[in-house]
Amino acid sequence: MTRSNRLRFGVLPVVLAAAWATPVAQAVRLDLTTGVTGEYSSNILRTERNEEEELTGIVWGGISAREEAANLTAELAALVESRQYINDTVGDEILLSLAALADWMILPQRLNWHFEDYFQQATVNPLETISPDNRQDTNVLWTGPDLYFRFARLYTLQLGARYGNFYYEETAGDNQRLAGYARAIRRLSPDGELYLHGERMHADYDHPGATDVLGITIRDFDRTDAYVGYRWSSILTELLLEGGYSRIERDGAEAVDEPLARLTLRRALPREGETGLRLSSQLTEGGGRLLASSGGRFDVDPHSTAVSQDIALERYAELFYFSRWRGVGTDIRAFWRDEDYQESVFDEEAAGVALHIGYPFAPAWVGRLFGRYEHVDFGLIDRKDRRGVLGIGAFHRLSRRITIDFELRDEWQDSNAAGHDFNEIIALVELRYGDRPSWAPTR
């Protein structure tokens, strides 16, 4: 059995066993779902010329589970799809997506075991749009113990260690990681705390010295992060502010030093609404992206252009807003991202906006309108892409658990680089039992 197959069929049982092998397992909230989908694509490979139409039959099953007990907090969402391509444009596929997070307090307020695993798909060539022939499985396992030492009632020292295993099905980049951290926390009030955090990590690649798909040399590295943070929360507001410095020392290359800064602000609004701001400036690298994604994409982002294994300074800003008024749900966000790489010439600056509106127009019918627009500038190679998606849909609830869903959308890319334009129209109908599993990462 190949490593890919071992990951496909071995991760889920391990996660389930680790997450709920405790006496409080009866408190698990478990939801099983399934569905059958028929999908039409006017350009399944998303090419500029020689467009190939395709009809796809999809059968999927999913599981969502949550456990909240005195000594265990766990959340899992998993989805497996069998995709049958009727016109044989590409080979049939079985796709798995999984996101699992668990914290098991072995000794109350003394010893905790942390576990994360995210299995998802990513591009093979990050400069081409996602499609069935430009997709690979990836997996990240991140686990280890946390020790807590409490002094007086206001001071806590937290020590932890982590082991990580990062896997790419097609591209070079498999690696293992060992990390350790220390965090000193000062409780300022019932709602706020100040902390000092230091962390050291070593990344050991399976094939150091090899090159990834874009010709970037893969190098083992050591990363050091040190920062001070402030966290405050109330019934309506959450604030997180962190600032410090990061250093990455690479084998055979110069070390990289950059400031680290992160700000997250959320404010609850009436009628289940929320608005917020996220700002960050930090060093990133390929494997770290898999972990930072927190399994948030069960549907692969078709606009991802991240260079797999290069080191980059990433600056990011996002403003988001959600509200529900008279049954109408509105979700909108605007974002800006700038990535400056150490070796690659594919430095990237992107800005865009995304919108989703849902409206119940009849007792058993809910309609939706959604769209996304993004402008990407690869300054060093004089390439500019405009990307967008616009769609409408509706679902009809046949019973409490059974729904039928209809959707029509248009996805496109307009580039000044030859061969990178495409337009794809997608229409689908889906009959499902329950809701499709989703992971709800922190915005």
Side-chain angles (χ1 to χ4, degrees):
M1 181 179 289
T2 66
R3 184 178 182 186
S4 175
N5 287 331
R6 288 199 302 270
L7 283 168
R8 282 178 183 271
F9 301 110
V11 169
L12 183 56
V14 170
V15 173
L16 288 171
W20 293 293
T22 69
V24 295
Q26 66 271 15
V28 173
R29 287 172 289 181
L30 185 66
D31 190 20
L32 301 175
T33 60
T34 187
V36 179
T37 307
E39 181 179 285
Y40 163 80
S41 170
S42 66
N43 183 11
I44 187 67
L45 298 180
R46 296 182 169 180
T47 57
E48 185 173 351
R49 298 180 177 85
N50 302 319
E51 298 180 358
E52 295 279 356
E53 296 182 350
E54 183 60 88
L55 294 172
T56 308
I58 305 170
V59 179
W60 61 268
I63 178 174
S64 299
R66 181 188 295 268
E67 165 69 29
E68 294 180 2
N71 64 338
L72 177 67
T73 301
E75 187 171 6
L76 179 143
L79 182 71
V80 60
E81 291 184 345
S82 174
R83 291 176 168 259
Q84 308 293 316
Y85 296 97
I86 307 302
N87 297 335
D88 294 326
T89 304
V90 293
D92 297 339
E93 296 180 293
I94 296 179
L95 301 179
L96 170 68
S97 296
L98 178 146
L101 175 64
D103 280 289
W104 177 26
M105 190 62 70
I106 302 172
L107 298 176
Q109 302 184 20
R110 291 291 184 270
L111 175 61
N112 177 74
W113 194 274
H114 180 80
F115 181 93
E116 293 180 75
D117 194 280
Y118 305 110
F119 189 102
Q120 55 195 310
Q121 284 72 50
T123 54
V124 176
N125 184 343
L127 292 179
E128 301 293 336
T129 187
I130 191 77
S131 66
D133 63 349
N134 187 33
R135 180 164 56 207
Q136 65 174 326
D137 291 334
T138 65
N139 188 77
V140 55
L141 167 69
W142 191 248
T143 187
D146 301 301
L147 289 171
Y148 299 86
F149 302 92
R150 302 185 187 278
F151 307 95
R153 294 177 58 185
L154 301 178
Y155 298 91
T156 301
L157 176 63
Q158 185 175 343
L159 303 177
R162 293 290 185 268
Y163 166 76
N165 185 286
F166 294 72
Y167 163 76
Y168 298 83
E169 180 186 19
E170 299 290 342
T171 58
D174 294 1
N175 66 91
Q176 292 78 45
R177 304 185 181 202
L178 293 175
Y181 75 91
R183 174 176 289 200
I185 304 170
R186 169 65 158 90
R187 175 69 64 177
L188 301 177
S189 69
D191 300 321
E193 65 180 26
L194 184 69
Y195 54 88
L196 179 64
H197 185 103
E199 183 170 346
R200 178 77 170 178
M201 180 182 68
H202 174 71
D204 184 16
Y205 282 88
D206 289 3
H207 304 287
T211 57
D212 68 9
V213 67
L214 296 178
I216 305 303
T217 301
I218 297 174
R219 307 175 190 274
D220 294 344
F221 66 86
D222 293 289
R223 174 169 183 155
T224 303
D225 295 285
Y227 56 89
V228 62
Y230 174 71
R231 189 192 309 270
W232 180 84
S233 64
S234 67
I235 296 176
L236 298 179
T237 305
E238 293 183 18
L239 172 66
L240 174 65
L241 179 63
E242 295 177 335
Y245 220 76
S246 298
R247 178 179 176 86
I248 297 180
E249 300 168 274
R250 302 173 294 164
D251 289 356
E254 292 184 358
V256 183
D257 301 89
E258 291 291 348
L260 181 153
R262 290 188 285 254
L263 168 67
T264 302
L265 176 64
R266 295 187 186 84
R267 175 73 176 179
L269 301 174
R271 296 180 293 271
E272 302 178 33
E274 183 182 64
T275 187
L277 172 69
R278 186 173 69 176
L279 303 172
S280 66
S281 177
Q282 58 190 347
L283 287 176
T284 64
E285 40 79 23
R289 292 174 182 275
L290 293 185
L291 184 62
S293 71
S294 297
R297 296 192 304 273
F298 275 124
D299 295 315
V300 180
D301 182 2
H303 308 288
S304 174
T305 53
V307 176
S308 295
Q309 301 305 322
D310 201 0
I311 306 295
L313 174 62
E314 180 186 70
R315 292 177 287 267
Y316 185 79
E318 179 184 27
L319 180 65
F320 60 86
Y321 169 82
F322 173 78
S323 71
R324 188 179 301 277
W325 184 69
R326 293 189 176 181
V328 179
T330 302
D331 193 342
I332 185 170
R333 71 183 186 100
F335 60 92
W336 171 83
R337 181 181 68 250
D338 182 69
E339 297 174 340
D340 294 328
Y341 291 96
Q342 291 297 307
E343 298 185 54
S344 170
V345 298
F346 298 104
D347 289 358
E348 175 183 345
E349 183 176 1
V353 62
L355 170 69
H356 186 282
I357 298 174
Y359 174 67
F361 59 88
W365 284 90
V366 175
R368 62 181 179 273
L369 171 68
F370 57 92
R372 173 184 173 121
Y373 174 81
E374 183 178 22
H375 182 272
V376 183
D377 185 355
F378 300 91
L380 296 181
I381 61 172
D382 194 27
R383 172 178 164 182
K384 295 180 174 63
D385 295 345
R386 293 186 301 117
R387 306 163 177 168
V389 56
L390 181 64
I392 58 173
F395 71 85
H396 176 58
R397 193 170 297 279
L398 301 174
S399 69
R400 188 177 67 88
R401 296 285 290 166
I402 301 176
T403 57
I404 185 168
D405 198 349
F406 305 90
E407 183 175 291
L408 177 66
R409 68 179 184 269
D410 183 14
E411 298 192 25
W412 54 271
Q413 177 170 286
D414 182 11
S415 175
N416 65 348
H420 291 281
D421 293 352
F422 79 87
N423 183 259
E424 180 187 24
I425 296 175
I426 300 172
L428 66 84
V429 57
E430 178 175 86
L431 180 66
R432 66 175 179 266
Y433 173 82
D435 293 323
R436 190 180 176 94
S438 64
W439 184 261
T442 300
R443 288 178 182 272

